[in-house]
Coordinates of all heavy atoms in Angstrom, one line a residue:
M1 N 135.5 97.9 142.7 CA 136.0 96.5 142.5 C 135.8 96.1 141.0 O 136.6 95.5 140.4 CB 135.2 95.6 143.4 CG 135.7 94.2 143.3 SD 137.4 94.0 143.9 CE 137.6 92.3 143.8
V2 N 134.6 96.5 140.4 CA 134.3 96.1 139.1 C 135.3 96.8 138.1 O 135.8 96.1 137.2 CB 132.9 96.5 138.7 CG1 132.6 96.3 137.2 CG2 131.9 95.7 139.5
I3 N 135.7 98.0 138.4 CA 136.6 98.7 137.5 C 138.0 98.1 137.7 O 138.7 98.0 136.7 CB 136.7 100.2 137.9 CG1 135.3 100.9 137.6 CG2 137.8 100.9 137.2 CD1 135.2 102.3 138.0
T4 N 138.4 97.7 138.9 CA 139.7 97.1 139.1 C 139.8 95.8 138.3 O 140.8 95.5 137.6 CB 140.0 96.9 140.6 OG1 139.9 98.1 141.2 CG2 141.3 96.3 140.8
V5 N 138.8 95.0 138.4 CA 138.8 93.7 137.7 C 138.8 93.9 136.2 O 139.6 93.2 135.4 CB 137.6 92.8 138.1 CG1 137.5 91.6 137.2 CG2 137.7 92.4 139.5
S6 N 138.1 94.9 135.7 CA 138.1 95.2 134.3 C 139.5 95.7 133.8 O 140.0 95.3 132.7 CB 137.1 96.3 133.9 OG 135.8 95.9 134.3
L7 N 140.2 96.5 134.6 CA 141.5 97.0 134.3 C 142.5 95.8 134.3 O 143.4 95.8 133.5 CB 141.9 98.1 135.2 CG 141.2 99.5 134.9 CD1 141.6 100.5 136.0 CD2 141.6 100.0 133.5
V8 N 142.4 94.9 135.2 CA 143.2 93.8 135.3 C 143.1 92.9 134.0 O 144.1 92.5 133.4 CB 143.0 92.9 136.5 CG1 143.6 91.5 136.4 CG2 143.4 93.6 137.8
A9 N 141.8 92.7 133.6 CA 141.6 92.0 132.4 C 142.2 92.7 131.2 O 142.8 92.1 130.3 CB 140.1 91.7 132.2
L10 N 142.0 94.0 131.1 CA 142.5 94.8 130.0 C 144.0 94.8 129.9 O 144.6 94.5 128.9 CB 141.9 96.2 130.1 CG 142.5 97.2 129.0 CD1 141.9 96.8 127.6 CD2 142.1 98.6 129.3
F11 N 144.6 95.1 131.0 CA 146.1 95.1 131.1 C 146.7 93.7 130.8 O 147.7 93.5 130.1 CB 146.6 95.6 132.4 CG 146.6 97.1 132.5 CD1 146.1 97.8 133.5 CD2 147.3 97.9 131.5 CE1 146.1 99.2 133.6 CE2 147.3 99.3 131.6 CZ 146.7 99.9 132.6
G12 N 146.0 92.7 131.4 CA 146.5 91.3 131.1 C 146.4 90.9 129.7 O 147.3 90.3 129.1
L13 N 145.3 91.3 129.0 CA 145.1 91.0 127.6 C 146.2 91.7 126.7 O 146.8 91.1 125.9 CB 143.7 91.3 127.2 CG 143.3 90.9 125.8 CD1 143.3 89.4 125.7 CD2 141.9 91.5 125.5
V14 N 146.4 93.0 127.0 CA 147.3 93.7 126.2 C 148.7 93.2 126.5 O 149.5 93.0 125.5 CB 147.2 95.2 126.6 CG1 148.4 96.0 126.0 CG2 145.9 95.8 126.1
L15 N 149.1 92.9 127.7 CA 150.4 92.3 128.0 C 150.6 91.0 127.3 O 151.7 90.7 126.8 CB 150.6 92.2 129.5 CG 151.9 91.8 130.0 CD1 153.0 92.7 129.5 CD2 151.9 91.6 131.5
F16 N 149.6 90.2 127.3 CA 149.7 88.9 126.6 C 150.0 89.0 125.2 O 150.9 88.4 124.6 CB 148.3 88.1 126.8 CG 148.3 86.9 126.0 CD1 149.0 85.7 126.4 CD2 147.5 86.8 124.8 CE1 148.9 84.6 125.6 CE2 147.5 85.7 124.0 CZ 148.2 84.5 124.4
F17 N 149.3 89.9 124.5 CA 149.6 90.2 123.0 C 150.9 90.8 122.8 O 151.6 90.5 121.8 CB 148.4 91.0 122.4 CG 147.2 90.2 122.2 CD1 146.0 90.5 122.8 CD2 147.2 89.0 121.4 CE1 144.9 89.8 122.6 CE2 146.1 88.3 121.2 CZ 144.9 88.6 121.8
L18 N 151.3 91.7 123.7 CA 152.7 92.3 123.5 C 153.8 91.2 123.7 O 154.8 91.2 122.9 CB 152.9 93.4 124.5 CG 152.1 94.7 124.3 CD1 152.3 95.7 125.4 CD2 152.6 95.4 123.0
L19 N 153.6 90.3 124.6 CA 154.6 89.3 124.8 C 154.6 88.3 123.6 O 155.6 87.8 123.2 CB 154.3 88.5 126.1 CG 154.6 89.3 127.4 CD1 154.2 88.6 128.6 CD2 156.1 89.6 127.5
R20 N 153.4 88.0 123.1 CA 153.3 87.1 122.0 C 154.0 87.7 120.7 O 154.6 87.0 120.0 CB 151.9 86.7 121.7 CG 151.1 85.9 122.7 CD 151.2 84.5 122.4 NE 150.6 84.1 121.1 CZ 150.7 83.0 120.6 NH1 151.2 82.0 121.3 NH2 150.2 82.7 119.4
A21 N 153.8 89.0 120.6 CA 154.3 89.6 119.4 C 155.8 89.9 119.5 O 156.5 90.2 118.5 CB 153.6 90.9 119.1
G22 N 156.4 89.8 120.7 CA 157.8 90.0 121.0 C 158.1 91.5 120.9 O 159.2 91.9 120.8
N23 N 157.1 92.3 121.0 CA 157.2 93.8 121.0 C 157.4 94.3 122.4 O 156.4 94.8 123.0 CB 156.0 94.4 120.3 CG 156.2 95.9 120.1 OD1 157.2 96.4 120.3 ND2 155.1 96.5 119.7
L24 N 158.6 94.2 123.0 CA 158.8 94.6 124.4 C 159.6 95.9 124.4 O 160.7 95.9 123.8 CB 159.5 93.5 125.1 CG 158.7 92.1 125.2 CD1 159.6 91.1 125.8 CD2 157.4 92.3 125.9
G25 N 159.1 96.8 125.1 CA 159.8 98.1 125.3 C 159.3 98.8 126.5 O 158.8 98.2 127.4
Y26 N 159.4 100.1 126.5 CA 158.9 100.9 127.6 C 157.4 100.9 127.8 O 156.9 100.8 128.9 CB 159.3 102.4 127.4 CG 160.8 102.6 127.5 CD1 161.5 103.0 126.4 CD2 161.5 102.3 128.7 CE1 162.9 103.2 126.5 CE2 162.9 102.5 128.7 CZ 163.6 102.9 127.6 OH 164.9 103.1 127.7
G27 N 156.7 100.8 126.7 CA 155.2 100.7 126.7 C 154.8 99.3 127.4 O 153.9 99.3 128.2
S28 N 155.5 98.3 127.1 CA 155.2 97.0 127.7 C 155.5 97.0 129.2 O 154.8 96.4 129.9 CB 156.1 95.9 127.0 OG 155.8 95.8 125.6
A29 N 156.6 97.7 129.5 CA 156.9 97.8 131.0 C 155.8 98.5 131.7 O 155.4 98.1 132.8 CB 158.2 98.5 131.2
F30 N 155.3 99.6 131.1 CA 154.2 100.3 131.7 C 152.9 99.4 131.9 O 152.3 99.4 132.9 CB 153.9 101.6 130.9 CG 152.7 102.3 131.4 CD1 152.8 103.1 132.5 CD2 151.5 102.2 130.7 CE1 151.7 103.8 133.0 CE2 150.4 102.9 131.2 CZ 150.5 103.7 132.3
I31 N 152.6 98.7 130.8 CA 151.5 97.8 130.9 C 151.7 96.7 132.0 O 150.8 96.4 132.7 CB 151.3 97.1 129.5 CG1 150.9 98.1 128.5 CG2 150.2 96.0 129.6 CD1 149.6 98.8 128.7
A32 N 152.9 96.2 132.1 CA 153.2 95.1 133.1 C 153.1 95.7 134.5 O 152.5 95.1 135.4 CB 154.6 94.6 132.9
V33 N 153.5 96.9 134.7 CA 153.4 97.6 136.0 C 151.9 97.8 136.3 O 151.5 97.6 137.5 CB 154.2 98.9 136.1 CG1 153.9 99.7 137.3 CG2 155.7 98.5 136.1
G34 N 151.2 98.3 135.4 CA 149.8 98.6 135.6 C 149.0 97.3 135.9 O 148.2 97.2 136.8
F35 N 149.4 96.2 135.2 CA 148.7 94.9 135.4 C 149.0 94.4 136.8 O 148.1 94.0 137.5 CB 149.3 93.9 134.4 CG 148.7 92.5 134.6 CD1 147.4 92.2 134.4 CD2 149.6 91.5 135.0 CE1 146.9 90.9 134.5 CE2 149.1 90.2 135.2 CZ 147.8 89.9 135.0
G36 N 150.3 94.5 137.3 CA 150.6 94.1 138.6 C 150.0 94.9 139.7 O 149.5 94.4 140.7
F37 N 149.9 96.2 139.4 CA 149.3 97.1 140.4 C 147.8 96.8 140.6 O 147.3 96.7 141.7 CB 149.5 98.6 139.9 CG 148.8 99.6 140.8 CD1 149.4 99.9 142.0 CD2 147.6 100.2 140.5 CE1 148.7 100.9 142.9 CE2 147.0 101.1 141.3 CZ 147.5 101.4 142.5
F38 N 147.1 96.7 139.5 CA 145.7 96.4 139.6 C 145.4 95.0 140.0 O 144.4 94.8 140.7 CB 145.0 96.8 138.3 CG 144.8 98.2 138.1 CD1 145.6 98.9 137.1 CD2 144.0 99.0 138.9 CE1 145.5 100.2 136.9 CE2 144.0 100.4 138.7 CZ 144.7 101.0 137.7
L39 N 146.2 94.1 139.7 CA 146.1 92.7 140.2 C 146.2 92.6 141.7 O 145.5 91.8 142.3 CB 147.1 91.8 139.4 CG 146.9 90.3 139.8 CD1 145.6 89.8 139.3 CD2 148.0 89.5 139.1
A40 N 147.1 93.4 142.2 CA 147.4 93.4 143.6 C 146.2 93.9 144.4 O 146.0 93.6 145.6 CB 148.6 94.2 144.0
S41 N 145.3 94.7 143.8 CA 144.2 95.2 144.5 C 142.9 94.4 144.3 O 141.8 94.8 144.7 CB 143.9 96.7 144.2 OG 143.7 96.8 142.8
T42 N 143.0 93.2 143.7 CA 141.9 92.3 143.5 C 142.0 91.2 144.6 O 142.9 91.1 145.4 CB 141.9 91.7 142.1 OG1 143.0 90.8 142.0 CG2 141.8 92.7 141.1
G43 N 141.0 90.3 144.6 CA 141.0 89.2 145.5 C 142.1 88.1 145.1 O 142.3 87.2 145.9
A44 N 142.7 88.3 144.0 CA 143.7 87.3 143.6 C 145.1 87.6 144.3 O 146.0 86.8 144.2 CB 143.9 87.4 142.1
A45 N 145.2 88.7 145.0 CA 146.5 89.1 145.6 C 146.9 88.1 146.7 O 148.0 87.7 146.8 CB 146.4 90.5 146.2
D46 N 146.0 87.7 147.6 CA 146.3 86.8 148.6 C 146.7 85.4 148.1 O 147.8 84.9 148.6 CB 145.1 86.6 149.6 CG 144.9 87.9 150.4 OD1 145.9 88.7 150.6 OD2 143.8 88.2 150.9
P47 N 146.0 84.8 147.2 CA 146.5 83.5 146.7 C 147.8 83.6 146.0 O 148.7 82.7 146.1 CB 145.4 83.0 145.8 CG 144.2 83.7 146.2 CD 144.7 85.0 146.7
I48 N 148.1 84.7 145.3 CA 149.4 84.8 144.6 C 150.5 85.0 145.6 O 151.6 84.4 145.5 CB 149.3 86.0 143.6 CG1 148.4 85.7 142.5 CG2 150.7 86.4 143.1 CD1 148.1 86.9 141.6
N49 N 150.3 85.7 146.7 CA 151.3 85.9 147.7 C 151.5 84.6 148.4 O 152.7 84.2 148.7 CB 150.9 86.9 148.7 CG 151.0 88.3 148.2 OD1 151.7 88.6 147.3 ND2 150.1 89.2 148.7
Q50 N 150.5 83.8 148.7 CA 150.7 82.5 149.3 C 151.4 81.5 148.4 O 152.3 80.8 148.9 CB 149.3 81.9 149.7 CG 149.4 80.6 150.5 CD 150.1 80.8 151.8 OE1 149.9 81.8 152.5 NE2 150.9 79.9 152.2
L51 N 151.1 81.5 147.2 CA 151.8 80.6 146.2 C 153.3 81.0 146.1 O 154.2 80.2 146.1 CB 151.2 80.7 144.8 CG 151.9 79.9 143.7 CD1 151.8 78.4 144.0 CD2 151.3 80.3 142.4
T52 N 153.6 82.3 146.1 CA 155.0 82.8 146.0 C 155.7 82.4 147.3 O 156.9 81.9 147.2 CB 155.0 84.3 145.9 OG1 154.3 84.7 144.7 CG2 156.4 84.8 145.8
N53 N 155.1 82.5 148.4 CA 155.8 82.1 149.7 C 156.0 80.6 149.7 O 157.0 80.1 150.2 CB 154.9 82.5 150.9 CG 155.0 84.0 151.1 OD1 155.9 84.7 150.7 ND2 153.9 84.6 151.7
D54 N 155.0 79.8 149.2 CA 155.2 78.4 149.2 C 156.3 77.9 148.3 O 157.1 77.0 148.6 CB 153.9 77.7 148.8 CG 152.8 77.8 149.9 OD1 153.1 78.2 151.0 OD2 151.6 77.6 149.5
V55 N 156.4 78.6 147.1 CA 157.5 78.2 146.2 C 158.9 78.6 146.8 O 159.8 77.8 146.7 CB 157.3 79.0 144.8 CG1 158.5 78.9 144.0 CG2 156.1 78.4 144.1
I56 N 159.0 79.7 147.4 CA 160.2 80.1 148.0 C 160.6 79.2 149.2 O 161.8 78.8 149.3 CB 160.1 81.6 148.6 CG1 160.1 82.6 147.4 CG2 161.3 81.9 149.5 CD1 159.8 84.0 147.8
D57 N 159.6 78.8 150.0 CA 159.9 77.8 151.0 C 160.3 76.4 150.5 O 161.2 75.8 151.0 CB 158.7 77.6 151.9 CG 158.4 78.8 152.8 OD1 159.4 79.6 153.0 OD2 157.3 79.0 153.3
A58 N 159.7 76.0 149.4 CA 160.1 74.8 148.7 C 161.5 74.8 148.2 O 162.2 73.8 148.3 CB 159.1 74.4 147.6
I59 N 161.9 75.9 147.6 CA 163.2 76.0 147.0 C 164.2 76.1 148.2 O 165.3 75.5 148.1 CB 163.3 77.3 146.2 CG1 162.5 77.1 144.9 CG2 164.8 77.6 145.8 CD1 162.4 78.4 144.1
R60 N 163.9 76.7 149.2 CA 164.8 76.8 150.4 C 165.0 75.5 151.0 O 166.1 75.2 151.6 CB 164.2 77.8 151.4 CG 165.2 78.2 152.5 CD 164.6 79.2 153.5 NE 163.7 80.2 152.8 CZ 162.8 80.8 153.5 NH1 162.6 80.5 154.7 NH2 162.0 81.6 152.8
N61 N 164.0 74.6 151.0 CA 164.2 73.3 151.6 C 164.8 72.2 150.7 O 164.9 71.1 151.1 CB 162.8 72.8 152.1 CG 162.3 73.7 153.3 OD1 163.0 74.2 154.1 ND2 161.0 73.9 153.3
L62 N 165.2 72.6 149.5 CA 165.8 71.6 148.7 C 167.2 71.2 149.1 O 168.0 71.8 149.6 CB 165.9 72.1 147.2 CG 164.5 72.2 146.5 CD1 164.7 72.7 145.1 CD2 163.9 70.8 146.4

């Protein structure tokens, strides 16, 4: 669990700086996939899924 959280923080930080610099390419896509993969295996996955479902339901009810 500690390694997963560390990798999420590392990938998130690298992705943040890549997006700020506007340097988007294949490397950025790899970082984004790695960030999503490791984020999904943390405790943040359930709240993110719930938020996504709530937003989709809200849009559908408009």
Side-chain angles (χ1 to χ4, degrees):
M1 181 68 176
V2 174
I3 293 173
T4 302
V5 173
S6 299
L7 286 174
V8 166
L10 176 68
F11 278 128
L13 187 65
V14 170
L15 185 60
F16 172 76
F17 284 119
L18 287 172
L19 290 172
R20 292 266 304 172
N23 187 10
L24 301 174
Y26 294 115
S28 299
F30 176 74
I31 296 296
V33 168
F35 177 69
F37 176 78
F38 286 111
L39 184 64
S41 58
T42 64
D46 289 334
I48 291 171
N49 287 334
Q50 184 63 38
L51 177 65
T52 304
N53 288 333
D54 291 343
V55 168
I56 291 171
D57 287 340
I59 291 172
R60 190 176 327 152
N61 293 327
L62 287 178

